[in-house]
Amino acid sequence: MRIEPREQPSLALTVLAPVLAVGVALALCSLLIWLSGTSPARALGLLLKGSLGSTFALTETLTRATPLIFTGLAAAVAFRAKLWNIGAEGQLYAGAAMATWLGTGMLDLPAWLMVPTLFLAGALAGGLLLLGPTLLKTRLAVDEVVTTLLLNFVVLLAVNWLVFGPWKDPMAMGWPQAAPVVDAAVLAPMVAKTRLHWGFVVALACAVGAWAVIRFSTWGLEIRAVGHSERASRFAGIPVGRAVLRTALLSGGLAGMAGVSELAGLKGYLTLDLSPGFGYSGIVVAMLAALHPLGVVAAALFVAVISIGADSMSRSLEISNYIADVATALSLLAVLVSMLAPRWRIRWR
């Protein structure tokens, strides 16, 4: 037996492999549920009902998917250029901090102008935060995995200082949070009496825009070329350093917009629990989507369905909601393995 690369990867196998991988992951989760003494069919039914079975459940799922789409895009765009951005969590908080600074009285704009301004400012903050590690990578060959990861803690400590110190809201009854943004900076709900806000539409627009940039633009061609081979790109005359820097601005900007979306759409103020790890979850989403910007939307929805549905299932059956984390992790592992199938095959001799 030997493993050899396929000369021409099959399109059908490329499309079906991630779907089969998710099915395998759900089958393994069903086995775990069965071992706990509960019917897997009933548990999965409650999971789907809790995430898709009503208007409220569906809007909660879409609300959870919104930041995952932003951070998933941030990871997918960067990884396409072999820029290993692990700092989306910090970039998310940088975007939220910038929106807080501008949206709590610094600017006096109408809502139609205030919201786009905050998104642009948040994207700029996130992009600039990633620019430093990227310059260290391109100029001094410093590992960006380490620098972007460590920057997460630096940003969180800075936000911690802000909400406990100069930005602390005196009307918050002692809670560590900044003052709320003005009414013009709040994203309106899409459906009455739900938490789903227009940040979801912005996230979808970003996914389509990122796909179009990577698929049709010269900039996207450079990102793909650098991701395939940096050496060959240089030989072809592509300015690799500039391409990576532009990718960093785009990736960090998308993560920064996640912070603005969560701040202006849900919380309304900056706090340390603004993100329960959306920056790290974005890496999982990007890998599940095979780094495809439109696939990120489907992957984010899948993770959101599992996450929201597991909460409902655990309340009904007294099963730990950590089953959602297990399902997500198994799906990621299965998809990573399945990504080898279209490119490699086993030949028996």
Side-chain angles (χ1 to χ4, degrees):
M1 182 189 76
R2 62 187 174 127
I3 300 175
E4 61 182 25
R6 296 179 186 273
E7 295 180 358
Q8 186 64 39
S10 165
L11 177 61
L13 191 57
T14 303
V15 173
L16 289 177
V19 178
L20 292 175
V22 171
V24 170
L26 291 178
L28 292 174
C29 289
S30 299
L31 177 61
L32 294 177
I33 294 171
W34 178 73
L35 290 175
S36 70
T38 305
S39 167
R42 186 182 176 213
L44 292 176
L46 287 172
L47 187 149
L48 292 176
K49 182 181 178 182
S51 56
L52 303 171
S54 65
T55 301
F56 176 77
L58 180 60
T59 56
E60 281 297 298
T61 299
L62 297 180
T63 303
R64 179 66 61 87
T66 300
L68 296 175
I69 294 174
F70 280 119
T71 55
L73 288 172
V77 169
F79 291 2
R80 289 291 290 261
K82 292 281 196 302
L83 175 63
W84 309 115
N85 176 20
I86 315 298
E89 186 77 2
Q91 293 143 25
L92 181 153
Y93 274 99
M98 177 63 81
T100 300
W101 183 53
L102 296 176
T104 52
M106 176 67 71
L107 297 178
D108 183 15
L109 300 172
W112 65 269
L113 188 56
M114 175 68 88
V115 171
T117 301
L118 294 186
F119 268 107
L120 288 175
L124 182 63
L128 291 178
L129 186 64
L130 182 54
L131 204 57
T134 308
L135 284 170
L136 290 174
K137 168 190 171 72
T138 56
R139 303 296 173 84
L140 301 174
V142 177
D143 189 343
E144 75 274 21
V145 173
V146 176
T147 52
T148 54
L149 179 62
L150 293 181
L151 263 182
N152 288 338
F153 301 101
V154 174
V155 173
L156 283 173
L157 287 173
V159 171
N160 183 72
W161 172 70
L162 287 171
V163 299
F164 273 97
W167 286 5
K168 186 174 182 179
D169 183 8
M171 305 299 290
M173 307 294 288
W175 290 100
Q177 65 182 54
V181 294
V182 297
D183 291 343
V186 175
L187 285 167
M190 292 177 63
V191 181
K193 299 181 180 178
T194 69
R195 300 198 308 159
L196 181 62
H197 54 82
W198 286 96
F200 178 68
V201 176
V202 177
L204 293 180
C206 286
V208 175
W211 169 74
V213 167
I214 292 177
R215 180 68 179 82
F216 299 110
S217 72
T218 304
W219 186 8
L221 175 63
E222 292 178 353
I223 291 175
R224 286 182 280 136
V226 172
H228 281 297
S229 173
E230 188 175 316
R231 185 179 177 185
S233 299
R234 282 201 173 88
F235 184 77
I238 294 176
V240 173
R242 276 186 290 174
V244 175
L245 290 176
R246 286 195 295 259
T247 304
L249 287 173
L250 179 59
S251 172
L254 288 165
M257 291 174 73
V260 179
S261 174
E262 289 299 285
L263 178 82
L266 285 183
K267 290 285 187 179
Y269 51 83
L270 181 63
T271 179
L272 283 172
D273 62 355
L274 185 68
S275 165
F278 290 136
Y280 302 108
S281 300
I283 298 173
V284 177
V285 169
M287 297 306 293
L288 286 174
L291 307 185
H292 194 292
L294 298 183
V296 163
V297 177
L301 289 173
F302 169 75
V303 173
V305 165
I306 296 295
S307 177
I308 297 295
D311 288 339
S312 175
M313 179 187 70
S314 65
R315 288 192 296 270
S316 301
L317 298 179
E318 297 184 356
I319 296 177
S320 171
N321 58 4
Y322 285 112
I323 194 70
D325 296 332
V326 175
T328 305
L330 286 174
S331 299
L332 175 62
L333 289 174
V335 169
L336 289 177
V337 172
S338 73
M339 289 171 65
L340 299 176
R343 293 183 294 169
W344 299 85
R345 65 182 176 187
I346 298 176
R347 183 176 289 278
W348 301 90
R349 305 183 56 180

